[in-house]
Amino acid sequence: MNTEIKSQLRAIVGDRWMMDSPHDLYTYSYDATPLYQAMPDAVVMPSSVEEVAAVLKVANQYRIPIVSRGSGTNLCGGTVPTEGGIVLVTNRLGRLHEIDQENLTATFGPGLITADLHKAVEAVGLFYPPDPGSMRISTMGGNVAECAGGMRGLKYGVTKDYIMGIEAVLPGGEVVRFGGKNAKDVAGYDVTKLLVGSEGTLAVVTEITAKLLPLPPAKQTMVAYYQSLSDAARSVQRIIASKIIPATMEFLDQATMEVVEDFARIGLPLDMKAMLIIEQDGTDLQVEQDIARMADICRGEGATEVRLAQTVEEGAKLMAARRAALSALARVKPTTILEDATVPRAHLAEMVEQVDVIARKYNLQICTFGHAGDGNLHPTCLTDERDLEEIHRVEQAFEEIFHAAIKLGGTITGEHGVGMAKAGFLDLKVGPSGIELMKRIKEAFDPHGIMNPGKMFAKSDRRRVVVKTHACTHEHNHA
């Protein structure tokens, strides 16, 4: 990227908001995904849709890659600038424009922090359910790009179920709007839903309108401990079969419980093989009835202990411990690789057992936790990226885990996205014809291929691991 192009970018966003020092470039060379890193040529931080459009026009004219990002909390290498170019940071577009209490919608910029949206709408008695683990840091634009989920996905769904309207800038700089506040709108293709989960490969989102719900008046939390993984899994199946849909139903295996207890010190019984954390919300009567029925089901399926939180604070403490699982695991070894293979919940126990078998086969420490109610598991490998031989075994293990999930009728990713990390496995889920259709959609939006190149679609049958060191980046290829 030459001096003239950089001057054009500075003229658009201002000197302060166009950065190209080695320090700044390094800061935006990676995201929350271990093993992936690449240096951009420039970083820009526009403050308006007009500035975004102007930046994209420059990038399109000179065929410069554009990687849009918020806080970079994704876990699929989705915002690593693999081909250099411009990292376009949307954090300055973080205003909450409106909470419409008549239409039950909120309209905001992509840079709005997820937890800040939660707080704002709950202050007026409303509710935005998707709650990714990174919600105190992640931006709503990032949530839209990856179609983020969270612990409330079983009852309430994920990001795509709440996005009603999107303003976006196409690669050529054209500003488009799709959807809006209408409860019903079937005018043409549903491009709004297409953009949700598109991982920045089609356009840059500059404004979002989301559906809100009334805030449930009551909630209660319970925990059940088990000596058997299959007993815990059967409890999940029986609860859903009994037509009870809890707000949250989380699973932790023994290895994860041990690490969480060492981190949070909340008194978890470490002789147990698994635990379920279950939360229900709704009216006082409905919550009370559902919690009592779920407790009976858990006991009937072999839970050695069922404990009901006696206060809201105690319930919040249990949920906070679950949310701390990744942070707790990250303390154990230098590198923490978290995936999200997902299966139909009827195969939950079988999938957890498969992960254990694979971990032993490759002599790896893999802890498993996740969203039991929707079958979204997070097998998490504790490793060290400097040990290339072990990293090779990690790659082999996760490849087997993805194949096992597909064989059980599942998918390679339930909420983290494809990005770089799982691009080599997308064909397992959608097949060659599905890949070709997606590529044609990509080409229709982005004929010059400037939008987040290197993501979603594998360039070959070989996966690339980018191992980062303190000063440089090495590439290590595995068949």
Side-chain angles (χ1 to χ4, degrees), residues 56 65-69 78-79 141-142 144-147 169 171 194-205 419 442 445-446 449-456:
L56 262 64
I66 284 278
V67 179
S68 58
R69 76 175 262 164
T79 53
V144 168
E146 301 292 349
C147 191
V169 182
L194 175 61
L195 290 174
V196 178
S198 61
E199 302 187 14
T201 62
L202 305 180
V204 176
V205 173
K442 160 77 169 169
F445 273 83
D446 181 22
I450 67 169
M451 302 302 295
N452 207 7
K455 312 309 189 313
M456 194 80 75

Side-chain angles (χ1 to χ4, degrees), residues 92-381:
R92 293 180 70 204
L93 300 167
R95 184 181 166 203
L96 174 58
H97 300 298
E98 175 191 52
I99 299 174
D100 185 339
Q101 297 187 58
E102 293 183 349
N103 288 304
L104 297 185
T105 63
T107 301
F108 44 85
L112 181 66
I113 300 297
T114 311
D116 291 344
L117 175 63
H118 288 164
K119 291 175 187 175
V121 301
E122 288 173 17
V124 295
L126 296 174
F127 183 39
Y128 177 76
D131 59 337
S134 58
M135 63 186 185
R136 290 179 177 81
I137 306 168
S138 65
T139 64
M140 286 303 301
N143 289 187
V144 168
E146 301 292 349
C147 191
M151 298 200 302
R152 295 191 283 240
L154 168 62
K155 184 173 185 177
Y156 290 106
V158 297
T159 301
K160 67 182 179 182
D161 300 306
Y162 294 88
I163 304 307
M164 299 176 66
I166 281 179
E167 175 191 80
V169 182
L170 300 178
E174 306 92 338
V175 179
V176 292
R177 281 184 172 271
F178 297 101
K181 295 183 180 181
N182 296 303
K184 294 180 178 179
D185 186 350
V186 293
Y189 295 127
D190 193 346
V191 181
T192 303
K193 290 294 191 291
L194 175 61
L195 290 174
V196 178
S198 61
E199 302 187 14
T201 62
L202 305 180
V204 176
V205 173
T206 50
E207 188 178 276
I208 303 158
T209 297
K211 175 177 70 174
L212 304 176
L213 301 177
L215 184 66
K219 64 181 176 182
Q220 189 172 9
T221 307
M222 60 171 275
V223 61
Y225 300 106
Y226 297 85
Q227 286 286 3
S228 162
L229 291 172
S230 58
D231 290 347
R234 277 201 314 273
S235 296
V236 173
Q237 295 162 20
R238 278 281 316 282
I239 287 169
I240 304 302
S242 299
K243 298 180 176 59
I244 305 171
I245 307 297
T248 298
M249 184 181 285
E250 296 296 297
F251 166 87
L252 283 76
D253 70 2
Q254 186 177 32
T256 307
M257 290 170 63
E258 291 171 351
V259 175
V260 168
E261 175 59 23
D262 184 59
F263 178 73
R265 305 289 182 184
I266 59 172
L268 298 181
L270 301 183
D271 58 332
M272 295 292 112
K273 298 296 184 184
M275 66 181 288
L276 294 177
I277 304 174
I278 305 172
E279 186 172 86
Q280 182 60 301
D281 61 11
T283 64
D284 289 296
L285 179 60
Q286 190 67 58
V287 169
E288 182 180 349
Q289 291 175 341
D290 285 351
I291 286 288
R293 289 176 63 199
M294 289 189 289
D296 286 343
I297 289 171
C298 291
R299 293 187 188 98
E301 293 300 331
T304 59
E305 181 184 359
V306 177
R307 185 187 309 164
L308 274 60
Q310 298 302 308
T311 64
V312 172
E313 291 74 22
E314 185 181 350
K317 189 175 180 181
L318 283 168
M319 299 308 295
R322 160 59 186 88
R323 290 190 185 280
L326 179 56
S327 299
L329 291 166
R331 300 167 68 234
V332 178
K333 285 193 175 182
T335 306
T336 306
I337 301 177
L338 182 149
E339 285 294 356
D340 71 325
T342 303
V343 295
R345 52 181 164 259
H347 295 299
L348 184 68
E350 189 175 353
M351 188 66 211
V352 174
E353 290 166 359
Q354 284 285 313
V355 171
D356 287 345
V357 169
I358 293 167
R360 289 194 298 271
K361 175 180 177 180
Y362 289 101
N363 191 28
L364 296 170
Q365 185 177 1
I366 299 181
C367 303
T368 303
F369 63 97
H371 316 306
D374 53 27
N376 185 193
L377 293 175
H378 295 312
T380 304
C381 187

Side-chain angles (χ1 to χ4, degrees), residues 21 24 27 55 71 119 124 142 185 196 214 247 253 260 300 327 333 354 385 398 419 437 442-443 448 465:
S21 72
D24 290 320
T27 299
V55 169
S71 298
K119 291 175 187 175
V124 295
D185 186 350
V196 178
D253 70 2
V260 168
S327 299
K333 285 193 175 182
Q354 284 285 313
E385 65 186 33
F398 276 119
L437 175 60
K442 160 77 169 169
E443 187 176 358
H448 300 305
V465 180

Side-chain angles (χ1 to χ4, degrees), residues 24-51:
D24 290 320
L25 298 181
Y26 187 85
T27 299
Y28 290 94
S29 67
Y30 59 91
D31 55 28
T33 318
L35 308 181
Y36 296 98
Q37 183 177 24
M39 295 289 279
D41 296 295
V43 178
V44 298
M45 296 184 176
S47 63
S48 67
V49 63
E50 292 80 12
E51 290 184 1

Side-chain angles (χ1 to χ4, degrees), residues 9-91:
L9 296 175
R10 286 193 175 91
I12 293 167
V13 299
D15 287 342
R16 180 182 176 186
W17 306 110
M18 204 297 285
M19 294 164 283
D20 62 353
S21 72
H23 173 80
D24 290 320
L25 298 181
Y26 187 85
T27 299
Y28 290 94
S29 67
Y30 59 91
D31 55 28
T33 318
L35 308 181
Y36 296 98
Q37 183 177 24
M39 295 289 279
D41 296 295
V43 178
V44 298
M45 296 184 176
S47 63
S48 67
V49 63
E50 292 80 12
E51 290 184 1
V52 172
V55 169
L56 262 64
K57 286 179 182 177
V58 170
N60 200 51
Q61 178 184 352
Y62 295 103
R63 310 294 190 261
I64 300 169
I66 284 278
V67 179
S68 58
R69 76 175 262 164
S71 298
T73 57
N74 77 89
L75 293 167
C76 66
T79 53
V80 176
T82 57
E83 298 184 16
I86 301 167
V87 172
L88 189 154
V89 182
T90 60
N91 292 24

